[in-house]
Amino acid sequence: MIRRFLGTAALVAVLAIPSLALAQGVPGGIERGARDGERAAGPVGAVVGGVVGGVVGGVAGVLGVDQRPRFRSYVVEQRRPSYQYREDVRVGVVLPEDGVTYYDVPPEYGVREHRYTVVNGRTVLVEPRTRRIVEIVE
């Protein structure tokens, strides 16, 4: 039984990883990995694919690795003011409702669901509804 599970997990990982490279962030990776895993190996594949997808999506982030330097340069050129935040700037932090200005990410970066701002001199991507930081663009 364990060999069968491990074999299924390996198959799902091999089949799912190429398509997960396009997933955006952990939520997108989990969703796409589960879908591709289920298609490849049924319910067990969905579970394994979701885990693998979340890991791959977390490494890739919301912006693709190759887009980060270009986006960072774009933000520097825009000369957006930096919001001074007293706490650590990290993924998961919810920014205050007042005082922070959020900007649209240009369409060429393919990030329609998020906005960006500058906090303590660092560019961050934010989920606009919750104001939660989803990525720090270094």
Side-chain angles (χ1 to χ4, degrees):
M1 179 68 181
I2 291 175
R3 285 186 183 176
R4 184 174 177 198
F5 177 76
L6 292 175
T8 302
L11 175 66
V12 169
V14 167
L15 294 174
I17 286 176
S19 66
L20 296 173
L22 299 175
Q24 291 188 344
V26 174
I30 291 171
E31 180 181 324
R32 188 164 186 159
R35 187 175 51 243
D36 291 349
E38 184 173 31
R39 208 177 1 229
V44 171
V47 171
V48 174
V51 171
V52 171
V55 170
V56 172
V59 170
V62 175
L63 280 173
V65 174
D66 58 333
Q67 293 176 318
R68 289 181 192 150
R70 196 166 53 94
F71 182 69
R72 178 78 177 109
S73 294
Y74 165 81
V75 172
V76 169
E77 290 169 8
Q78 296 300 304
R79 295 189 175 145
R80 303 293 189 191
S82 180
Y83 176 78
Q84 295 307 307
Y85 188 61
R86 295 178 192 196
E87 306 294 325
D88 287 338
V89 177
R90 58 182 164 59
V91 172
V93 165
V94 176
L95 295 173
E97 194 168 343
D98 297 325
V100 183
T101 304
Y102 302 98
Y103 307 96
D104 290 333
V105 176
E108 62 262 26
Y109 296 100
V111 181
R112 293 180 299 273
E113 310 83 27
H114 299 90
R115 303 293 176 267
Y116 78 92
T117 192
V118 181
V119 180
N120 296 351
R122 300 172 80 186
T123 302
V124 298
L125 292 176
V126 178
E127 200 285 318
R129 187 176 52 78
T130 63
R131 302 177 321 279
R132 183 176 308 276
I133 296 174
V134 296
E135 184 171 342
I136 298 172
V137 183
E138 305 284 9

